[in-house]
Amino acid sequence: MTSTYIDLRSDTVTTPDSEMRKAMADAEVGDDVLDHDPTMAALEEEVANLLGFPAALWVPSGSMGNLIALMMHLRRGDQFLAPEHSHVLGSELGTAAWLAQGMPMALPHDGGPGRPTPDTVRRAVGSGGPYYTLNTTLLCLENSHNFAGGAVMTTVQWTALVEAARSSGLLIHLDGARLWNAAAALHVSLDELTLGADTVQVCLSKGLGAPVGSVLAASTERIAEARRIRKMLGGGIRQGGVLAAAGIIALASRHRLVDDHTNAQLLARGLRERGWNTTEPETNIVLADVTDPSVVVSHLATVGVGAVTVAGKVRFVTHRDVSTDDIESVLDRVSAIST
């Protein structure tokens, strides 16, 4: 085993730096369930403003944020649409069906990596029917799309899908766990990528590097209901400012996400030069098409490189704790691995 382990399994493996730890230690706090912790309130207000919504709510995880949104939008037995391999479909342990009580329908990526075409959305909804027809009420989209290799949806593509959903009578939830990456890649403001959504979830513990937390943004009325649902799910917290302080510092680091994207491009290019089948990454995720992903991931571990398998491929994710020198070291180590 190589002595220095370079962890590219996810951008969730980062650890708080000294600035973040100090902010957590010095945070002004209060009981968030009883009085709304002041630092938590400040974080929520900042995220709401960035995303173009009047209100927001901190939640312990992106999965909980997505679940709360689905619980608000779906009635028992309603069908919801989401692109194939979306996080809400395969990575949240069926809570969309179990707790939100919705019927999921996966849509093909016929509009490009990570997204359907507007016509596919319209056809999936259909044109009504008798009373026993399945009722489709919600479209969930993901930007960037994790298992499509961090694929980004542009403002034009997003707007077309929003219009298709609205014309079909659908509500819209955006899983924006890595929306920060999408905005950085497209050089646009965050609120340009959320316009028309009813709810948006963004994650602080992925590319931004906070140790925990996501934020759900919506109308004031929906966030009031979301706070109640969060409590029902056990997500109410007390002195949450300690965690919110880390999120505020994380938000200030958004500008450096382009470094992760550059490192992902370097990694993908180097892998291709060594005979790997990879596509050009749009953000910080590199997917490699190999014969046996599980075997390759095991071989990578023996040379001190962390990766995972997703959607039948090997996934590498660059992040703030991995430098350009680390990427060069990864490329040196993988030269001897057969794909």
Side-chain angles (χ1 to χ4, degrees):
M1 173 71 74
T2 304
S3 58
T4 304
Y5 182 67
I6 301 174
D7 198 345
L8 298 175
R9 292 173 299 165
S10 177
D11 46 10
T12 61
V13 301
T14 58
T15 56
D17 59 19
S18 57
E19 180 186 12
M20 193 174 286
R21 291 175 186 272
K22 185 177 188 306
M24 294 169 74
D26 295 343
E28 180 185 2
V29 298
D31 190 316
D32 193 62
V33 173
L34 298 179
D35 305 314
H36 204 168
D37 177 284
T39 305
M40 187 67 76
L43 170 65
E44 292 166 347
E45 181 178 2
E46 182 176 359
V47 173
N49 288 337
L50 286 171
L51 299 181
F53 286 86
L57 178 72
W58 183 94
V59 290
S61 70
S63 292
M64 183 181 283
N66 288 337
L67 174 60
I68 290 172
L70 267 61
M71 290 178 73
M72 289 193 293
H73 295 323
L74 296 171
R75 295 171 301 179
R76 184 169 57 194
D78 281 354
Q79 178 172 257
F80 70 95
L81 313 176
E84 187 179 15
H85 299 305
S86 292
H87 201 275
V88 294
L89 295 180
S91 299
E92 298 183 7
L93 282 79
T95 52
W98 174 39
L99 297 175
Q101 299 186 327
M103 171 72 76
M105 179 179 180
L107 302 181
H109 296 185
D110 55 350
R115 65 184 186 278
T117 63
D119 283 345
T120 292
V121 171
R122 295 187 187 97
R123 286 195 300 270
V125 177
S127 56
Y131 78 92
Y132 49 81
T133 302
L134 193 61
N135 196 28
T136 304
T137 59
L138 175 67
L139 173 65
C140 293
L141 295 170
E142 189 173 324
N143 198 15
S144 66
H145 193 292
N146 182 356
F147 290 175
V152 167
M153 194 184 320
T154 68
T155 54
V156 172
Q157 293 158 351
W158 163 257
T159 300
L161 286 167
V162 167
E163 290 175 351
R166 289 293 182 224
S167 67
S168 301
L170 301 183
L171 295 165
I172 301 163
H173 172 62
L174 174 61
D175 179 355
R178 293 182 176 86
L179 192 66
W180 325 105
N181 293 91
L186 295 169
H187 306 289
V188 299
S189 62
L190 289 156
D191 57 3
E192 292 180 69
L193 297 175
T194 65
L195 187 63
D198 295 287
T199 49
V200 178
Q201 179 270 129
V202 289
C203 188
L204 303 169
S205 66
K206 292 188 171 67
L208 299 188
V212 62
S214 290
V215 180
L216 180 68
S219 66
T220 301
E221 294 76 17
R222 280 199 171 103
I223 290 303
E225 177 61 17
R227 187 175 296 276
R228 285 178 52 83
I229 297 173
R230 184 185 70 175
K231 180 66 172 171
M232 294 175 191
L233 296 173
I237 53 172
R238 299 301 176 181
Q239 286 70 36
V242 174
L243 300 173
I248 291 172
I249 296 298
L251 285 175
S253 71
R254 300 194 310 279
H255 66 279
R256 57 146 306 278
L257 289 172
V258 293
D259 297 337
D260 297 341
H261 300 175
T262 299
N263 281 336
Q265 293 162 9
L266 174 64
L267 176 61
R269 184 168 59 250
L271 290 173
R272 286 195 297 272
E273 290 170 353
R274 289 158 177 79
W276 291 59
N277 182 12
T278 66
T279 57
E280 185 67 15
E282 296 183 81
T283 52
N284 66 324
I285 298 176
V286 176
L287 294 183
D289 194 358
V290 301
T291 303
D292 192 329
S294 296
V295 169
V296 171
V297 166
S298 295
H299 288 169
L300 286 166
T302 66
V303 296
V305 176
V308 298
T309 63
V310 298
K313 301 180 188 297
V314 175
R315 188 190 73 175
F316 304 88
V317 185
T318 56
H319 50 81
R320 70 177 198 164
D321 286 0
V322 173
S323 67
T324 300
D325 288 344
D326 290 329
I327 298 300
E328 296 286 3
S329 179
V330 167
L331 292 172
D332 288 341
R333 298 180 195 189
V334 304
S335 297
I337 294 178
S338 173
T339 61

mmCIF file of all heavy atoms in Angstrom, residues 194-215:
data_model
loop_
_atom_site.group_PDB
_atom_site.id
_atom_site.type_symbol
_atom_site.label_atom_id
_atom_site.label_comp_id
_atom_site.label_asym_id
_atom_site.label_seq_id
_atom_site.Cartn_x
_atom_site.Cartn_y
_atom_site.Cartn_z
ATOM 1 N N THR A 194 -32.018 28.613 -10.544
ATOM 2 C CA THR A 194 -33.134 28.184 -9.683
ATOM 3 C C THR A 194 -34.457 28.811 -10.088
ATOM 4 O O THR A 194 -35.500 28.439 -9.543
ATOM 5 C CB THR A 194 -32.869 28.551 -8.214
ATOM 6 O OG1 THR A 194 -32.833 29.985 -8.089
ATOM 7 C CG2 THR A 194 -31.550 27.971 -7.723
ATOM 8 N N LEU A 195 -34.438 29.752 -11.023
ATOM 9 C CA LEU A 195 -35.635 30.500 -11.387
ATOM 10 C C LEU A 195 -36.737 29.560 -11.860
ATOM 11 O O LEU A 195 -36.548 28.787 -12.794
ATOM 12 C CB LEU A 195 -35.299 31.508 -12.487
ATOM 13 C CG LEU A 195 -36.408 32.496 -12.864
ATOM 14 C CD1 LEU A 195 -36.756 33.379 -11.673
ATOM 15 C CD2 LEU A 195 -35.968 33.347 -14.055
ATOM 16 N N GLY A 196 -37.872 29.617 -11.217
ATOM 17 C CA GLY A 196 -39.008 28.782 -11.584
ATOM 18 C C GLY A 196 -39.205 27.572 -10.700
ATOM 19 O O GLY A 196 -40.254 26.923 -10.763
ATOM 20 N N ALA A 197 -38.212 27.237 -9.868
ATOM 21 C CA ALA A 197 -38.346 26.093 -8.966
ATOM 22 C C ALA A 197 -39.231 26.458 -7.781
ATOM 23 O O ALA A 197 -39.291 27.615 -7.349
ATOM 24 C CB ALA A 197 -36.988 25.639 -8.467
ATOM 25 N N ASP A 198 -39.912 25.454 -7.248
ATOM 26 C CA ASP A 198 -40.701 25.649 -6.024
ATOM 27 C C ASP A 198 -39.853 25.444 -4.786
ATOM 28 O O ASP A 198 -40.060 26.114 -3.770
ATOM 29 C CB ASP A 198 -41.881 24.681 -6.019
ATOM 30 C CG ASP A 198 -42.861 24.978 -7.143
ATOM 31 O OD1 ASP A 198 -43.594 25.980 -7.044
ATOM 32 O OD2 ASP A 198 -42.872 24.225 -8.132
ATOM 33 N N THR A 199 -38.920 24.505 -4.856
ATOM 34 C CA THR A 199 -37.995 24.250 -3.759
ATOM 35 C C THR A 199 -36.632 23.902 -4.349
ATOM 36 O O THR A 199 -36.538 23.332 -5.439
ATOM 37 C CB THR A 199 -38.466 23.073 -2.871
ATOM 38 O OG1 THR A 199 -38.812 21.963 -3.709
ATOM 39 C CG2 THR A 199 -39.667 23.444 -2.025
ATOM 40 N N VAL A 200 -35.587 24.254 -3.603
ATOM 41 C CA VAL A 200 -34.207 23.944 -4.003
ATOM 42 C C VAL A 200 -33.445 23.493 -2.775
ATOM 43 O O VAL A 200 -33.524 24.128 -1.712
ATOM 44 C CB VAL A 200 -33.495 25.169 -4.621
ATOM 45 C CG1 VAL A 200 -32.051 24.820 -4.970
ATOM 46 C CG2 VAL A 200 -34.233 25.681 -5.848
ATOM 47 N N GLN A 201 -32.704 22.405 -2.911
ATOM 48 C CA GLN A 201 -31.812 21.938 -1.853
ATOM 49 C C GLN A 201 -30.377 22.105 -2.313
ATOM 50 O O GLN A 201 -30.027 21.721 -3.426
ATOM 51 C CB GLN A 201 -32.098 20.465 -1.528
ATOM 52 C CG GLN A 201 -31.196 19.863 -0.446
ATOM 53 C CD GLN A 201 -29.916 19.230 -1.025
ATOM 54 O OE1 GLN A 201 -28.799 19.519 -0.580
ATOM 55 N NE2 GLN A 201 -30.069 18.370 -2.021
ATOM 56 N N VAL A 202 -29.549 22.725 -1.479
ATOM 57 C CA VAL A 202 -28.116 22.859 -1.766
ATOM 58 C C VAL A 202 -27.323 22.298 -0.588
ATOM 59 O O VAL A 202 -27.751 22.383 0.560
ATOM 60 C CB VAL A 202 -27.707 24.322 -2.025
ATOM 61 C CG1 VAL A 202 -28.245 24.803 -3.363
ATOM 62 C CG2 VAL A 202 -28.163 25.242 -0.897
ATOM 63 N N CYS A 203 -26.177 21.722 -0.897
ATOM 64 C CA CYS A 203 -25.373 21.048 0.124
ATOM 65 C C CYS A 203 -24.140 21.876 0.465
ATOM 66 O O CYS A 203 -23.471 22.407 -0.424
ATOM 67 C CB CYS A 203 -24.957 19.658 -0.381
ATOM 68 S SG CYS A 203 -24.155 18.665 0.894
ATOM 69 N N LEU A 204 -23.834 21.967 1.751
ATOM 70 C CA LEU A 204 -22.660 22.691 2.229
ATOM 71 C C LEU A 204 -21.468 21.775 2.463
ATOM 72 O O LEU A 204 -20.348 22.249 2.589
ATOM 73 C CB LEU A 204 -23.003 23.421 3.536
ATOM 74 C CG LEU A 204 -24.177 24.395 3.469
ATOM 75 C CD1 LEU A 204 -24.588 24.835 4.870
ATOM 76 C CD2 LEU A 204 -23.831 25.605 2.608
ATOM 77 N N SER A 205 -21.702 20.469 2.545
ATOM 78 C CA SER A 205 -20.646 19.533 2.947
ATOM 79 C C SER A 205 -20.025 18.795 1.767
ATOM 80 O O SER A 205 -19.264 17.858 1.962
ATOM 81 C CB SER A 205 -21.205 18.504 3.942
ATOM 82 O OG SER A 205 -22.169 17.679 3.314
ATOM 83 N N LYS A 206 -20.348 19.211 0.545
ATOM 84 C CA LYS A 206 -19.702 18.607 -0.621
ATOM 85 C C LYS A 206 -18.588 19.543 -1.076
ATOM 86 O O LYS A 206 -17.608 19.720 -0.380
ATOM 87 C CB LYS A 206 -20.735 18.301 -1.708
ATOM 88 C CG LYS A 206 -21.692 17.186 -1.269
ATOM 89 C CD LYS A 206 -22.604 16.735 -2.392
ATOM 90 C CE LYS A 206 -23.379 15.486 -1.992
ATOM 91 N NZ LYS A 206 -24.356 15.706 -0.918
ATOM 92 N N GLY A 207 -18.710 20.163 -2.230
ATOM 93 C CA GLY A 207 -17.608 20.975 -2.734
ATOM 94 C C GLY A 207 -17.186 22.107 -1.828
ATOM 95 O O GLY A 207 -16.033 22.531 -1.857
ATOM 96 N N LEU A 208 -18.108 22.634 -1.018
ATOM 97 C CA LEU A 208 -17.770 23.777 -0.171
ATOM 98 C C LEU A 208 -17.004 23.378 1.083
ATOM 99 O O LEU A 208 -16.398 24.230 1.725
ATOM 100 C CB LEU A 208 -19.039 24.545 0.207
ATOM 101 C CG LEU A 208 -19.839 25.134 -0.962
ATOM 102 C CD1 LEU A 208 -20.958 26.022 -0.438
ATOM 103 C CD2 LEU A 208 -18.940 25.903 -1.913
ATOM 104 N N GLY A 209 -17.075 22.122 1.484
ATOM 105 C CA GLY A 209 -16.196 21.630 2.536
ATOM 106 C C GLY A 209 -16.657 21.778 3.963
ATOM 107 O O GLY A 209 -15.871 21.541 4.888
ATOM 108 N N ALA A 210 -17.911 22.167 4.212
ATOM 109 C CA ALA A 210 -18.400 22.180 5.595
ATOM 110 C C ALA A 210 -18.514 20.740 6.100
ATOM 111 O O ALA A 210 -18.694 19.816 5.308
ATOM 112 C CB ALA A 210 -19.753 22.872 5.685
ATOM 113 N N PRO A 211 -18.427 20.524 7.408
ATOM 114 C CA PRO A 211 -18.485 19.151 7.922
ATOM 115 C C PRO A 211 -19.867 18.524 7.890
ATOM 116 O O PRO A 211 -19.989 17.298 7.935
ATOM 117 C CB PRO A 211 -17.981 19.290 9.359
ATOM 118 C CG PRO A 211 -18.294 20.702 9.732
ATOM 119 C CD PRO A 211 -18.119 21.497 8.480
ATOM 120 N N VAL A 212 -20.903 19.338 7.819
ATOM 121 C CA VAL A 212 -22.273 18.798 7.840
ATOM 122 C C VAL A 212 -23.225 19.888 7.372
ATOM 123 O O VAL A 212 -22.966 21.077 7.553
ATOM 124 C CB VAL A 212 -22.653 18.318 9.265
ATOM 125 C CG1 VAL A 212 -22.630 19.473 10.242
ATOM 126 C CG2 VAL A 212 -24.009 17.632 9.289
ATOM 127 N N GLY A 213 -24.337 19.466 6.754
ATOM 128 C CA GLY A 213 -25.427 20.397 6.522
ATOM 129 C C GLY A 213 -25.774 20.688 5.080
ATOM 130 O O GLY A 213 -24.912 20.737 4.205
ATOM 131 N N SER A 214 -27.068 20.859 4.844
ATOM 132 C CA SER A 214 -27.619 21.339 3.587
ATOM 133 C C SER A 214 -28.656 22.395 3.914
ATOM 134 O O SER A 214 -29.021 22.587 5.083
ATOM 135 C CB SER A 214 -28.261 20.194 2.803
ATOM 136 O OG SER A 214 -27.294 19.294 2.293
ATOM 137 N N VAL A 215 -29.138 23.079 2.888
ATOM 138 C CA VAL A 215 -30.141 24.126 3.090
ATOM 139 C C VAL A 215 -31.234 23.945 2.054
ATOM 140 O O VAL A 215 -30.962 23.736 0.869
ATOM 141 C CB VAL A 215 -29.526 25.531 2.971
ATOM 142 C CG1 VAL A 215 -30.602 26.604 3.176
ATOM 143 C CG2 VAL A 215 -28.403 25.719 3.993
#
